[in-house]
């Protein structure tokens, strides 16, 4: 049997609506790994959050990888180390923060495993986000002075109205499009990462590093930020519960959704 690699988004794909892995999906993943296939989580979540989900799903051992920050980090679970990291330039972070502040938008970034916010930001948004991602958070004085290293991404949130985020996305593409990629990982999360960073680039890069033909890569997702990897993989899969744009980019649309063993469906059809 030819060895393949399966790339899985987390929220809305591998995880059900209760943020858990169904028993059917877990058993199918175990079988795929037993046959020597590789599995990579590919998430917009920070590394610490994505790794915790990988451990819970049984995807933190031999043959497993974690792509986090929408392709900004790639972690080899076998080696227990990062094998790729790309960060924003500090000047780009500052410019994005200045524009977000001018518009009154909530914005945060990540440092030393925490979500970090400046004093002006409403901590209720932070707490809601951290409850979803299961992360800790802290306040800092200023991103210009208080980050230990350049971040991989920044995240803007509006839980009430997407329109301000759409306006900010247009500004980012018009004013910083050569330096920064921006996309929605959900209707209320606008993310900004270094140009050239997305899940598709991570899929292509990891396959190249592992010596796996891209035709033997299967990638499954449900949201806007999953579209690059759906297009990059040999077989791009959109979830039945996915957005229409993801379905339009896919080679295959699952019959089952994230609550009903869709990953097991993918594994049975394309890996076993």
């Amino acid at each position: 049997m030819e060895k393949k690699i399966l790339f899985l988004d987390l929220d809305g794909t591998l995880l059900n609506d209760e943020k858990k892995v169904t028993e059917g999906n877990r058993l199918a993943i175990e079988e795929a790994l037993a046959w020597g296939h590789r599995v990579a989580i590919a998430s917009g979540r920070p590394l610490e959050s994505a790794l915790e989900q990988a451990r819970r799903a049984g995807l933190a051992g031999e043959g497993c990888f974690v792509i986090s920050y929408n392709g900004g980090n790639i972690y080899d679970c076998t080696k227990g180390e990062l094998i790729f990291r790309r960060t924003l330039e500090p000047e780009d972070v500052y410019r994005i923060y200045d524009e977000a502040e001018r518009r009154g938008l909530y914005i945060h970034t990540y440092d030393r495993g925490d979500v970090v916010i400046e004093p002006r930001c409403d901590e209720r948004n932070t707490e809601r986000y951290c409850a979803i991602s299961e992360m800790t958070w802290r306040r800092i004085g200023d991103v210009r002075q208080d980050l230990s290293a350049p971040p991989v991404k920044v995240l803007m949130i509006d839980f009430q109205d997407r329109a301000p985020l759409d306006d900010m996305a247009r500004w980012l593409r018009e004013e910083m499009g050569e330096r920064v990629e921006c996309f929605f990982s959900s209707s209320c999360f606008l993310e900004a990462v270094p140009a050239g960073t997305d899940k598709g680039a991570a899929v292509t890069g990891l396959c190249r590093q592992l010596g796996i033909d891209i035709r033997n890569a299967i990638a499954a997702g449900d949201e806007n930020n999953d579209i690059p990897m759906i297009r990059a993989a040999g077989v791009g899969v959109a979830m039945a519960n996915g957005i229409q744009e993801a379905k339009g980019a896919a080679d295959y649309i699952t019959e089952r959704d994230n609550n009903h063993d869709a990953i097991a469906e993918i594994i049975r059809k394309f890996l076993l």
Side-chain angles (χ1 to χ4, degrees), residues 19-121:
K19 303 300 180 183
K20 297 178 180 178
V21 179
T22 65
E23 183 67 6
N25 284 346
R26 186 184 64 78
L27 292 172
I29 288 167
E30 287 180 359
E31 189 173 356
L33 289 170
W35 278 101
H37 299 300
R38 294 179 170 114
V39 182
I41 283 176
S43 176
R45 293 188 185 214
L47 178 61
E48 294 77 13
S49 176
L51 268 175
E52 179 58 30
Q53 293 297 333
R55 294 185 187 104
R56 294 178 187 177
L59 288 172
E62 187 78 24
C64 298
F65 300 83
V66 173
I67 296 167
S68 59
Y69 293 117
N70 280 297
N73 282 353
I74 302 178
Y75 185 88
D76 185 330
C77 296
T78 304
K79 295 179 180 178
E81 63 183 33
L82 279 175
I83 57 175
F84 176 82
R85 175 178 168 84
R86 176 181 286 160
T87 61
L88 289 159
E89 292 295 328
E91 294 77 12
D92 294 333
V93 175
Y94 308 154
R95 190 177 178 195
I96 295 168
Y97 262 72
D98 288 345
E99 185 65 20
E101 181 173 5
R102 189 184 72 80
R103 293 167 178 263
L105 282 174
Y106 170 96
I107 186 170
H108 75 230
T109 191
Y110 308 85
D111 187 64
R112 294 175 177 164
D114 292 329
V115 172
V116 292
I117 60 170
E118 291 186 329
R120 75 170 184 84
C121 286

Side-chain angles (χ1 to χ4, degrees), residues 3 12-14 40 48 55 66 95 103 128 136-137 139 151 157 173 179 199 230:
K3 298 301 183 287
T13 301
L14 175 61
E48 294 77 13
R55 294 185 187 104
V66 173
R95 190 177 178 195
R103 293 167 178 263
R128 185 171 173 181
T136 55
W137 67 276
R139 287 192 185 275
I157 297 176
R173 293 178 183 125
R179 302 181 61 80
K199 293 186 182 183
I230 289 171

Side-chain angles (χ1 to χ4, degrees), residues 225-238:
N225 63 321
D226 298 316
I227 292 173
M229 75 170 180
I230 289 171
R231 288 176 171 156
V235 178
V237 179

Side-chain angles (χ1 to χ4, degrees), residues 123-139:
E123 67 184 42
R124 290 175 295 182
N125 284 336
T126 315
E127 290 174 344
R128 185 171 173 181
Y129 172 83
C130 287
I132 295 168
S133 60
E134 299 180 274
M135 293 197 63
T136 55
W137 67 276
R138 56 187 165 87
R139 287 192 185 275

